[in-house]
Every structure is written in structure tokens, then in C-alpha cells.
Amino acid sequence: MMIVTNYIVTSWRHILRHKLFSAINVLGLAVGLAAVMLIALFVRDELSYDNNWSKGDRIFRTHTSFSPPGRDPMHFVSTPGPVMEALKKDFPQIELATRVLRTRPMLVDGDTLTVEEITLVDPDAVNIFDFNLISGDIEKAVSGNNTIALNETLANKYFAGENPLGQIVTLDFDIFKRDYIVEAVIGDWPEKSQIHIKSMALIVEEDWSESAWIFEDWFSLDAHMFFALRERGNISEISNQLSAFIDRNFPKFPIGDPNEAVSSRVGLEVVNIKDLHLKSSGVGDYRPRGNINTVMTFSAIATLILIIASINFMNLSTARASQRAREVSMRKVVGASKKTLVLQFLGESVLLTLIGLLIALAIVEISLPLYNGILGEEYIVNYGGTDLMQIFILAVIVGLLGGLYPAFILSGFRPAEILKANQSIESGASVKLRSALVIIQFSVSIGLFVSTAVVFGQMQYAKNMDLGFSKDNLVTITGITRDVVQEKFSLLVSEIKRIPETTDVTWASFVPGQTFENNTSVRTPELSQEETIIVSNRRIGEDFLKTFDIELIAGRDYQVGRNDERADTDVILAGNGHRASLILNQTAVRQLGLGDAEAAIGKTVYMGVGNVEARGEAEYEVIGVTKDIHFESLRSNARAEIYPLQSNFARSITVRYTGEPQEIVDKLNDIWQKEFPELSFNYRHLTDAIDGQYTEEQGQATMFAAFSGLAILIACLGLYGLASFTAERRTKEIGIRKVMGAKIIDIVKLLLWQFSKPVIVANLIAWPLSFYAMSRWLESFAYRIDNILIISFCLIAGLAALMIAWGTVAGNSIRVARTNPIKALRYE
Amino acid sequence: MLKLQDLTKAYRTDEVETVALNNVNIEIEHGEFVAIMGPSGCGKSTLLNIVGMLDTPTSGHYFFNGEDVAGYSEAQLGVIRKQHIGFIFQSFNLIDELSVFENIELALLYHDIPASERKERVAAVMDKVGIAHRAKHMPSQLSGGQQQRVAVARAVVGNQSMILADEPTGNLDTAHGQEVMEMLQKLNEEGTTIVMVTHSPSHADYARRTINLLDGHVVTESMRA
């Protein structure tokens, strides 16, 4: 007991007496542990998605990919409607299967209409997922065409204080309108799930005969599809057979060589429900996905930060070893064994770590609101649960790891040597090890600095790139596809035109800034019907080019009264169409082989119309060519796009305005409320929509920068401590040099050079690695900053690291260099 | 060569003032070999440090070649020191990380001497003290006597006119001590002024003059023929 007290007293006094040493160690550890905790919150959250389904191992979602000729493969998380029945028929291993379709009908509540989200499912859904049944009979709720299971949110919204069971809700799906009886109330879907089932009703295919493609078309992607294997079922038996399944069941692919196997154009993939959030790809998820690479990157950063903090610990402790040599020797002389000394020093480092842990918890609590703000999350540290225990264990492990090497070094001193003379007792090996550790720290810091710079550089580049149109002062109105709106469409547009702040108004079949896929096959007279080219078909309204400020590089814009719009499909199929006008982009001109932009004007292009049963072609004359325009993220290359004129349908209306953004929004809202009081007004400023595509990346980039900064800070703290101890260790040498005539500046240069060497070596290690990693990362962007920039970032990082190292070391060096040499050369 | 006049050195802490040298008057001519003796704590080392311009007096005058350097700044003293004064210490004070050659070269490094000339001069001085064959060895590989010879070489390689030796034989056995003393004597015969602090009366006998210090005072001065 006595000896333990003695250890604690010694440790505590040692910590207090060497404030700089202790402060650097504790602060470095605290910042490191805090960073690790914050990152762990993010990582744990990302890994927690869809982990708790009782049949989790057996639940899969099917994903579909299409590879039309001349088009990069397109990946979707949805599945054509008829696939489910065919799969169940071909694979007896499948026990349960359901489609999941998100719909947005209007809920009729007396006089008010509100758009609500209703998820349509097949009956098996209730047995695949674990629903939290609050009341009623969930199986009954999805057994008939007029029953529904409300989730808690909707039940509380419409039947607060009443029993929702047996109540009627009226849903208007546009195609049909029906009264539904509430048969069950279910809990809201868990937050940490990649899928999202809300209030739930049965898929009744007859109801949807007007939009039959949703459930019947083999090439239309609308609903998600899940299935559950039988117990002990083997998924590879299904995934290996999917190509054969496709060739057996799918009709011929509508475009391209009819003799080709359809499996060369269509792909199906099965993804376990636990992998949906982080390890799947494809368009059409109902909730934002995470990315396993991001999770791995941040885990790696957390590990690196912890390593840097531990290295500080080891470096400072071994560097200080000589100062504790006498204590160790005396303890040995009076009978301490190596083992007890190791325990003493390990205990001391664990003590320091635990002090660091307390500070770390404070840092986490203070920075959590900011962190949550950046990431748009609501993480909390659960002190009551296992969180505190885990971080405590981690801290102890860090303390032990960081303390182990110093403990053995310190306890290994031979008293006879130490007590004889105050000589340099450090072995060359431990000095070398320390240099190596400093090199590792700086390599990591420089690497993180370069990566951060590249990530930010790319973000800036993407934000400022020429999109081909001017995104400022544009507001887009969406939610206009309902019949009630489309009926009053021209009225709406003309009322908007009458707002004084309105400069131009247009509409389009897509929502600028949102992912959009609508592909059409086109050809020139020189190409056969089998050689058509797939282009993105973006139909636009009058004044579109003017409103978006899009430059025509050849030809003219559409003009009212010139019959630019094509005839309706049935007219064309009947052979009564006329030659319409077409504007397309540069890439389309190139892919169609129309020559340069000027040469393309006046040439003929055919566009496929109709469906599998009745196919025809609309004839167009090219009247205008635009530059390539980026309505979406710069992750993908510019595609061939055509912009036919369409006056009678739109998914969005876009207004260019002058004056304050809020003013125009208020006036648009007034018009909307007057015409459609029952519908909510949906709008978005295009700048927000475009920049919004980068919110997640922006948040992660900020996080990346912050943690890289922390890593560098901790490394510098360590270097500062190390520099001061090294300077102390070299006092004798410095004294001799001064006696020999060295000036202060000579000594400072000497010390700076000593610390420049590891930083320079670190640069040589970090540069090629970061260049390789970051050029790989940039490859995922179609439009990206030049690799040369990475090199300049490397140079800047290297220079910055040197400056930081110098700044850190200089103060100490000057102090030591100014010391009177006789103090260093004092006699015994 | 140098003249100390009413020289006093006092160390002050918050409460106590310790007088290390009190009113010391010493004159040393060019080419002299002077031994300074006295018990521990009598002020020998303080005196040597002031003479070597590693420390400054509290009051009094220190004329070096006729110049009063008592009030000079550290930088000014450094310039005079590196031109005129070489040091030999009891504990050798070689830099462990540098080889024999590099340790000696150190004394020239801060003198703006081209590398080729430095090499020649270091080689010459190594020959002179008989350690040429050890040029590439590290100090830890040498015996005490050899280390001290390296220190002597370092003290004279810059053609310093005065060597200050602080118990140069204190860490050496009799034979090696003898060797170092003979080397100093030879240097003195060649014209180098030598001021040596020592405990050993037999080594003090090499000097032509002995100054005895006690409690910061010069108590006796004896000349030898």
C-alpha cells in the first residue's frame, strides 16, 4: 500500500512540476480523444442503419441496371413491376416478397386537401419487416383494396384524441379516389433505415390500369422490391442465376439488335438490407445514402489522430527519460524491480490519459452542437449507456500503448552508469526511433493537409464551374403535375408574367437541379433504326433559353407561331405528323455525326415515339445548337441531350426575376394560394438547388478539414515539446559550440535544421502517397481540378509544415542559444 | 596580455549575495604559463570564466591586449574569444555525436575559413598532438588521455594566443596527465600563453607562476625560475 501511495505521489508531483510536458501530453491526448469520439459518433451512426431486422440476414432488395447501346450503364435501386412474380416462380428459395412504392395522393379532409405520402406494398411486407403495431390488425390493413395502416404521425395528425381504428380516410390518387378504412396504426419507420415505409396500403394493380406500366412494364422502374429467403436459403443460388432468369423472363430490349440476349442490356443485383445504406449504388432511394468510403476515411483519420497523440506521448516521455534517470536509479538502488518500475510508469501514463479524457469529454460537449450543425445530424453522447465505458477503455488502452515503450526505456536504466556521471544516457536507437515517429506524424499531417486542400479545391471548382446557364435570380416552382394545376397551366404562367419583378418565365419536363432520367432514341437519316442513339430528352417550354440565359452557338430559338412543336404521338403513329423543330446540345450533334454546330442546322433527326406495341418516329429539323449544359451534378459527364418544345405539360416552372428573392416568392405564393388554395406551394431557388447537391460533401469536407487541422495541431504540440527537450539535451553541445565561437544565429540554425530534416523526409513520404490517393479520388468527378494543382498543394503543405515546425521550434532554440555556455559546461 | 584590475564578481539570489571574486588584481604577460590553485569554492573557475570571456565581472576592469572588455556585450566578447582564446576542460567537453576530426574542425567552423584550409589545419594539429590515426573515431571510442588530446588540438587549431585549461588532468590517470602537461608545456614554449586551474601541485610545477586563491582573494603569487 505504501509503495502505491509513493508512486501516486511521485507521479502527481512529476505532472505538476513539469507543467509544459504534462500540458502537451494531456492536451494532445484530450484533443485526440475528443476527435476520435466525434468521429466515432458519425461512424457508429452510419453503421447502425438497418441492423435490427429480425430477418435481416435474409432480406434483400433487387437493383436493376440498363445498358442501352451508346449509353453508360444506368443503375437503379428500383425493379420493374413484373419481376417479383417471376422471381417467386423461378426461385422457390424465396419465401416472401413485396414491392414498395412511394405515392403522394391528396388526403381529403372535409374541404382541405393535403398531399400525404402513402407507401403501397404487397401483403408479404408485414412479414418481411418488423412493424411496430400500435393497434389494430396489420395483416387486415394490407389485405383489401379499401383498407389502410396509418403511421403514428398521420394518426395523430388527423385523429388526435380519437380512436383511429375504423375511421375513414379519403385518398385522391388523381387516377382514382377512394375511401379507406383504418385497420391498423403502426409506429413511425425507424430513422436509421435506408428504406422508408410510411402509412401503408395494398397494391391493387387493377386500380392503376391507367398507369399500367408501373406494375406491368418490364422496362419501367417505379417501385422498390424486397424479398426474404427461406431459412437456410442461400442467396448465391439466386444471384448466380439472375442472368439466366433475365433471358428466360424479360422481353427483347426495345433498342438495339433484337438478336442480342436481353441479359446483355439488363442486369439485376441482390443487395442485403444491411448493405443498402453504405454499400449500394443506384438512383431512386427514398432516403439519402451514406458512403462506406467516407466511413472508412473518417475511421482512418480517427486512428491516425490517436496514433499521433500516442506518438507525442512516447516521444515526450522517452525524451524526458534522462531527467528521470536519477529517480529510477535511486529506486533501483533501494530495491525496486524492473517490473514495479514498469508498473509505476504505465500507471503514470494512464493517469495522464484519464486527465486527458476528462478534458476530451468537455471538448466533445462544447463542440457537439457545432459538429451536428455541420453534418446536419443530432448526435449525442449517451453517458448512461456503454459510451462512457467504451471511451474509458479506449483511453486506458491509449495510455498503456503510449506508456509502454517509455516505461521499458526508463526502467531499463543501469543505476551504476547513471549515478556515476551525468552523461548522455540515451541510446542512439531511441533517438532514431523518435525521429522516425516525428516523420510519421508529419507525413500524416502533410497528407491530411493535401487531401483537405484537394477536397476543398474540387468543391470550389464544382461550385464555380460554368454550368452553361446563369443560376442566379431563378426560382423554380415544383409540385405542379396534378391535373388541377395542369388544367390551369397557361393561366398560371400568364399571371406570373404579370408580376412586375418577373423578367422571364418558362417551364420544363424536368426540375433543374434534380436528378432526371428520360431517355429517347434518335437517329439521322443516315443511321438505320437499329443504330439509334440514346439521348437525354429534356422537353422545354417557351422562352426557356432566354430565361436560363443559355447561349445558342448556332441557329435560332423556338418562336411562337412557327409550329416548332411536334404533333401528338397518336397523330404521328397515324402518319399525320409534320416536320417539327429541334434544339440540341453540342454532344448530341457530335454523337449524331451532324458535323459542327453550323453544319447541323437544317439537318433532319428522327426521334422514336410510341411504345412496344406501336412504334413510330417523329421527324425534326435541327434549328439550334447549345453548348453542353449542366443541370445536375458535375460527377457525370455531359450527355447528348435534346430540348424539344412542349407547351402542354411541365414538371416545373422557372421564373427569372429582379429584386429581392423573398419578394418574388411572396408574390408567387399569393398567386398560387389564389388558384390552388388546397395545395401547398413548393419552390426552390436554383442556386440553393445546385449548391445543395454539394451540402453533404461540403459538410464532410469541413469535417475533414477540421480533423486534419487537429491532427496537425497535435503533431505540432508534440514537436514543440520535443524541441524543448532536445534543446535541453543538447545544452552541453551548444555550450561547446558557443565557446568555439558560434553566434546565437548559428545555434538557432543548427536546431532548426535538426527539426527540418524529419519534416523534409516526411514531405518526401507524404507527397507521392497523397498525390496518388487524391488523383484517384478526383477521378470520380467528370469535371475536376487539374492534377498539377495537387502538386502545388503538396508544395504548399510542405512549406507550411516547415514553417510550422520552425515556428514551433524557433522560440525554444533562441532561448537555449542565448544561455550562457558556462551553465552548460558546469563542472561536476 | 591581460590585466585584471579591482575585479569583483558577486552572485545574487533573492536573499543572499555571494562574492566569488573580491578585488582581484592580476596581470599576465604574453607567453606566460600561469597556474591558479586553491581549494574548492575559492573562485578559481569564476576567474577562469571571466578571463575566458564566458562570464562578465560585476565591477572592476579587464584589459585584454590593452582594451577594457569589462563592459562588452556577449556578442563582442564572442568575437574576441574565438580569435584569441582556446579552452580545455576537465571533462573534455567533446561533442559525442561528432568524430575526432569534426570536433577539432568545430573551432574553425565559425571563422569563415574555407573547407580545404580547415582540412589542412585540422590534419596538421592532429599530427602535432598525435591522434591523426584516430581522425574518424568517435569520442566514446577513445581513452581519456586521447580525448583530452583532441580537446587540446581543438583549443589550438585556430592559432589562439592563449589557452585556458580548467583542471585539464582532473579526469586522467597519472601517465595520461603527464602526457597532457607535456603537451601544454610544448605549446607554451612555442609562444602560447597558458592559464591553468589545477589541484595538483606537481602539475602546477609546470607553470612558471602560481597564483593561490582563497575565498575570492589572491593570497600569494609565487614565481619559479
Side-chain angles (χ1 to χ4, degrees):
Chain A
M1 203 55 215
M2 282 297 289
I3 193 76
V4 173
T5 325
N6 182 287
Y7 285 160
I8 292 173
V9 167
T10 323
S11 299
W12 184 247
R13 286 186 187 156
H14 184 82
I15 290 169
L16 286 186
R17 195 151 65 90
H18 301 279
K19 292 194 181 66
L20 176 73
F21 164 80
S22 312
I24 288 174
N25 257 349
V26 169
L27 267 185
L29 279 170
V31 173
L33 285 172
V36 169
M37 277 193 264
L38 289 174
I39 292 176
L41 288 173
F42 166 78
V43 170
R44 183 175 64 181
D45 184 69
E46 285 293 297
L47 293 177
S48 69
Y49 277 68
D50 293 309
N51 262 341
N52 294 319
W53 301 111
S54 61
K55 296 191 181 73
D57 291 331
R58 297 193 272 141
I59 304 176
F60 295 86
R61 185 166 76 182
T62 50
H63 289 189
T64 312
S65 59
F66 289 148
S67 319
R71 169 83 168 94
D72 293 338
M74 300 177 281
H75 299 275
F76 302 91
V77 301
S78 34
T79 303
V83 169
M84 183 179 77
E85 283 306 322
L87 266 183
K88 277 163 80 174
K89 183 165 66 69
D90 282 17
F91 297 108
Q93 298 94 322
I94 295 178
E95 183 187 358
L96 304 158
T98 183
R99 291 165 293 188
V100 172
L101 178 67
R102 176 166 65 177
T103 63
R104 292 202 174 87
M106 277 189 288
L107 195 149
V108 186
D109 186 21
D111 288 340
T112 57
L113 303 171
T114 317
V115 176
E116 296 292 356
E117 196 170 299
I118 305 293
T119 313
L120 299 183
V121 300
D122 289 300
D124 281 353
V126 299
N127 295 317
I128 294 176
F129 306 108
D130 308 309
F131 284 92
N132 172 18
L133 182 63
I134 289 168
S135 61
D137 181 343
I138 191 168
E139 300 214 8
K140 198 171 170 197
V142 291
S143 60
N145 68 352
N146 64 343
T147 51
I148 191 166
L150 288 190
N151 66 8
E152 258 185 306
T153 307
L154 272 202
N156 290 337
K157 183 170 169 186
Y158 291 99
F159 304 108
E162 311 171 54
N163 181 5
L165 295 183
Q167 304 268 14
I168 303 291
V169 290
T170 308
L171 296 178
D172 183 350
F173 286 92
D174 260 12
I175 292 176
F176 66 94
K177 182 175 171 182
R178 183 172 301 149
D179 291 344
Y180 288 82
I181 305 163
V182 178
E183 288 291 357
V185 177
I186 53 177
D188 285 338
W189 199 255
E191 279 300 317
K192 297 305 165 195
S193 171
Q194 187 55 39
I195 50 182
H196 201 181
I197 294 178
K198 294 193 171 178
S199 294
M200 179 171 66
L202 187 67
I203 292 174
V204 182
E205 295 192 21
E206 300 85 73
D207 289 342
W208 298 87
S209 52
E210 267 186 59
S211 309
W213 67 83
I214 298 178
F215 303 109
E216 289 172 14
D217 191 329
W218 287 88
F219 299 105
S220 180
L221 293 164
D222 302 277
H224 295 174
M225 196 207 113
F226 293 87
F227 65 84
L229 283 181
R230 292 185 195 284
E231 271 182 78
R232 286 183 300 280
N234 186 351
I235 189 63
S236 60
E237 288 172 15
I238 294 179
S239 47
N240 291 339
Q241 292 296 314
L242 283 173
S243 286
F245 167 83
I246 291 166
D247 286 329
R248 246 190 339 265
N249 292 281
F250 271 69
K252 288 293 169 204
F253 200 67
I255 314 166
D257 183 354
N259 297 319
E260 252 174 355
V262 64
S263 61
S264 67
R265 296 285 169 213
V266 178
L268 284 176
E269 186 196 0
V270 290
V271 183
N272 185 264
I273 192 168
K274 292 174 185 166
D275 294 334
L276 289 181
H277 182 62
L278 289 176
K279 295 180 192 163
S280 74
S281 60
V283 177
D285 251 313
Y286 296 162
R287 278 176 164 172
R289 260 197 311 264
N291 184 333
I292 189 69
N293 290 333
T294 312
V295 172
M296 305 273 273
T297 305
F298 282 112
S299 306
I301 293 181
T303 315
L304 289 176
I305 289 180
L306 214 50
I307 288 175
I308 291 181
S310 303
I311 286 179
N312 272 356
F313 205 94
M314 289 164 67
N315 270 348
L316 293 177
S317 304
T318 52
R320 292 191 43 75
S322 55
Q323 301 190 0
R324 300 198 69 176
R326 265 165 210 283
E327 178 199 336
V328 173
S329 305
M330 278 318 296
R331 283 187 187 276
K332 280 197 171 176
V333 167
V334 299
S337 71
K338 180 159 178 162
K339 195 178 114 194
T340 56
L341 285 169
V342 168
L343 285 178
Q344 179 196 341
F345 290 121
L346 279 183
E348 202 171 297
S349 74
V350 170
L351 181 64
L352 273 179
T353 320
L354 293 182
I355 299 171
L357 176 63
L358 286 179
I359 301 174
L361 289 172
I363 297 175
V364 168
E365 280 306 309
I366 292 166
S367 54
L368 205 51
L370 182 72
Y371 186 65
N372 281 335
I374 292 170
L375 289 180
E377 294 284 352
E378 284 170 13
Y379 301 143
I380 49 161
V381 182
N382 179 6
Y383 293 103
T386 53
D387 286 12
L388 199 60
M389 191 42 112
Q390 285 169 357
I391 192 73
F392 179 80
I393 291 171
L394 178 72
V396 170
I397 290 173
V398 169
L400 289 178
L401 282 181
L404 210 55
Y405 179 71
F408 276 98
I409 290 276
L410 281 165
S411 58
F413 288 142
R414 291 224 185 96
E417 288 169 19
I418 305 293
L419 295 177
K420 194 171 67 186
N422 202 5
Q423 290 207 321
S424 173
I425 32 93
E426 239 184 329
S427 70
S430 92
V431 176
K432 281 209 185 78
L433 177 81
R434 216 153 52 220
S435 297
L437 293 177
V438 171
I439 290 172
I440 293 175
Q441 285 186 316
F442 268 84
S443 305
V444 170
S445 304
I446 292 164
L448 287 174
F449 184 103
V450 172
S451 314
T452 310
V454 172
V455 170
F456 267 91
Q458 175 63 24
M459 302 273 309
Q460 273 324 101
Y461 178 80
K463 273 187 175 175
N464 297 328
M465 205 185 111
D466 179 15
L467 299 168
F469 66 94
S470 138
K471 66 182 175 182
D472 300 319
N473 284 40
L474 289 178
V475 62
T476 296
I477 305 167
T478 56
I480 59 169
T481 52
R482 277 168 209 291
D483 291 349
V484 278
V485 184
Q486 296 285 332
E487 279 159 18
K488 287 184 173 179
F489 188 72
S490 355
L491 175 71
L492 184 63
V493 170
S494 59
E495 287 204 44
I496 294 172
K497 275 185 180 160
R498 254 182 268 134
I499 301 175
E501 285 82 10
T502 301
T503 320
D504 292 294
V505 186
T506 191
W507 59 92
S509 66
F510 57 97
V511 183
Q514 272 181 20
T515 311
F516 172 80
E517 277 287 346
N518 183 18
N519 296 289
T520 300
S521 60
V522 294
R523 66 181 183 96
T524 58
E526 288 76 35
L527 298 170
S528 75
Q529 297 222 9
E530 276 73 48
E531 294 172 309
T532 54
I533 286 169
I534 301 290
V535 297
S536 175
N537 183 3
R538 295 178 182 269
R539 286 165 290 161
I540 62 176
E542 289 162 16
D543 294 334
F544 187 89
L545 299 189
K546 200 166 145 227
T547 308
F548 278 83
D549 201 4
I550 293 169
E551 199 186 324
L552 274 173
I553 50 178
R556 64 165 177 93
D557 195 358
Y558 298 119
Q559 280 160 15
V560 181
R562 282 191 68 161
N563 212 12
D564 285 330
E565 189 172 355
R566 79 160 163 91
D568 286 345
T569 304
D570 43 351
V571 177
I572 294 173
L573 291 178
N576 296 327
H578 68 281
R579 189 168 151 101
S581 305
L582 185 65
I583 295 175
L584 30 68
N585 73 354
Q586 262 177 312
T587 302
V589 168
R590 198 176 57 244
Q591 285 188 7
L592 283 165
L594 294 173
D596 66 17
E598 288 295 341
I601 304 298
K603 288 194 175 156
T604 301
V605 169
Y606 297 106
M607 180 175 94
V609 295
N611 51 32
V612 188
E613 287 85 40
R615 294 191 63 81
E617 281 188 323
E619 185 183 334
Y620 285 97
E621 175 190 339
V622 174
I623 62 154
V625 178
T626 68
K627 288 194 292 188
D628 288 343
I629 306 161
H630 303 281
F631 292 109
E632 292 164 28
S633 158
L634 293 168
R635 273 193 193 276
S636 45
N637 264 306
R639 292 191 56 199
E641 299 195 328
I642 58 172
Y643 307 107
L645 182 64
Q646 183 169 42
S647 55
N648 60 1
F649 175 81
R651 282 198 180 80
S652 68
I653 294 175
T654 301
V655 182
R656 182 170 289 282
Y657 61 91
T658 55
E660 289 306 304
Q662 196 50 50
E663 207 173 315
I664 187 82
V665 167
D666 289 343
K667 290 186 176 172
L668 290 171
N669 188 36
D670 289 346
I671 292 173
W672 184 272
Q673 293 306 337
K674 193 179 77 190
E675 299 297 340
F676 317 108
E678 73 279 14
L679 292 177
S680 62
F681 174 59
N682 295 306
Y683 73 96
R684 211 163 172 199
H685 292 286
L686 202 54
T687 350
D688 297 343
I690 303 269
D691 295 347
Q693 297 177 340
Y694 302 105
T695 345
E696 201 187 304
E697 276 133 326
Q698 184 83 57
Q700 286 169 359
T702 310
M703 187 169 155
F704 200 62
F707 287 118
S708 306
L710 283 184
I712 295 169
L713 175 77
I714 301 174
C716 285
L717 271 180
L719 194 70
Y720 179 78
L722 201 54
S724 55
F725 294 122
T726 305
E728 262 172 53
R729 195 176 61 86
R730 291 183 73 170
T731 41
K732 178 185 140 193
E733 177 193 338
I734 290 163
I736 297 171
R737 286 183 186 270
K738 285 190 78 177
V739 169
M740 295 300 141
K743 291 196 280 290
I744 289 173
I745 184 78
D746 295 318
I747 303 296
V748 173
K749 273 198 276 190
L750 178 79
L751 290 176
L752 287 188
W753 173 238
Q754 185 196 359
F755 283 96
S756 303
K757 276 188 287 182
V759 175
I760 289 168
V761 175
N763 272 311
L764 295 180
I765 295 173
W767 286 353
L769 291 178
S770 10
F771 182 85
Y772 175 76
M774 293 324 286
S775 55
R776 284 285 302 276
W777 180 77
L778 280 177
E779 276 168 22
S780 68
F781 296 89
Y783 299 91
R784 52 182 180 253
I785 53 174
D786 202 289
N787 277 349
I788 294 287
L789 263 177
I790 308 182
I791 296 177
S792 50
F793 287 145
C794 281
L795 292 175
I796 294 170
L799 213 61
L802 262 186
M803 301 304 257
I804 290 173
W806 285 352
T808 313
V809 177
N812 255 314
S813 303
I814 292 170
R815 185 177 57 78
V816 172
R818 293 172 70 105
T819 332
N820 193 326
I822 56 165
K823 282 184 188 146
L825 306 177
R826 227 199 288 276
Y827 325 82
E828 253 86 327
Chain B
M1 171 154 213
L2 64 89
K3 185 175 163 194
L4 307 180
Q5 201 178 320
D6 300 334
L7 196 85
T8 299
K9 177 71 181 180
Y11 294 102
R12 250 184 221 97
T13 61
D14 288 345
E15 290 144 26
V16 198
E17 186 183 275
T18 321
V19 179
L21 293 176
N22 196 354
N23 226 6
V24 171
N25 289 285
I26 295 173
E27 200 162 342
I28 295 173
E29 298 295 331
H30 271 286
E32 269 201 279
F33 192 151
V34 178
I36 299 173
M37 293 190 73
S40 287
C42 71
K44 299 189 299 280
S45 295
T46 309
L47 179 64
L48 205 65
N49 286 336
I50 290 175
V51 170
M53 300 181 199
L54 296 173
D55 208 347
T56 48
T58 315
S59 67
H61 298 282
Y62 174 10
F63 295 96
F64 188 84
N65 287 339
E67 223 177 317
D68 187 358
V69 299
Y72 276 27
S73 72
E74 198 196 320
Q76 286 171 307
L77 291 174
V79 173
I80 302 175
R81 186 174 64 222
K82 74 178 180 186
Q83 272 170 9
H84 298 285
I85 307 174
F87 290 88
I88 300 171
F89 301 93
Q90 173 180 9
S91 51
F92 321 138
N93 276 335
L94 301 178
I95 297 177
D96 301 331
E97 289 81 7
L98 299 181
S99 70
V100 166
F101 183 94
E102 290 161 339
N103 263 294
I104 300 172
E105 191 190 22
L106 196 64
L108 300 176
L109 222 47
Y110 301 105
H111 287 252
D112 290 330
I113 295 170
S116 55
E117 190 190 332
R118 286 205 302 265
K119 208 173 160 188
E120 275 170 32
R121 284 168 71 171
V122 173
V125 79
M126 281 197 304
D127 268 342
K128 195 164 161 187
V129 300
I131 39 153
H133 60 297
R134 295 285 197 169
K136 289 193 175 135
H137 285 89
M138 303 306 276
S140 57
Q141 296 168 297
L142 303 179
S143 72
Q146 286 167 326
Q147 289 194 43
Q148 196 60 300
R149 274 194 271 164
V150 175
V152 172
R154 187 180 59 186
V156 298
V157 71
N159 290 331
Q160 278 84 351
S161 52
M162 179 167 76
I163 288 181
L164 301 181
D166 193 348
E167 299 205 32
T169 56
N171 279 3
L172 300 176
D173 59 32
T174 319
H176 282 122
Q178 194 82 11
E179 216 177 84
V180 169
M181 287 313 300
E182 277 162 17
M183 209 179 307
L184 288 178
Q185 194 173 36
K186 197 168 147 228
L187 286 169
N188 180 244
E189 281 161 10
E190 288 166 10
T192 311
T193 313
I194 293 177
V195 181
M196 175 180 75
V197 167
T198 184
H199 277 302
S200 155
S202 67
H203 289 164
D205 285 346
Y206 282 88
R208 257 171 286 161
R209 181 152 66 113
T210 303
I211 298 170
N212 281 297
L213 281 183
L214 185 64
D215 293 341
H217 293 278
V218 175
V219 285
T220 58
E221 279 196 53
S222 57
M223 295 289 286
R224 194 166 56 84

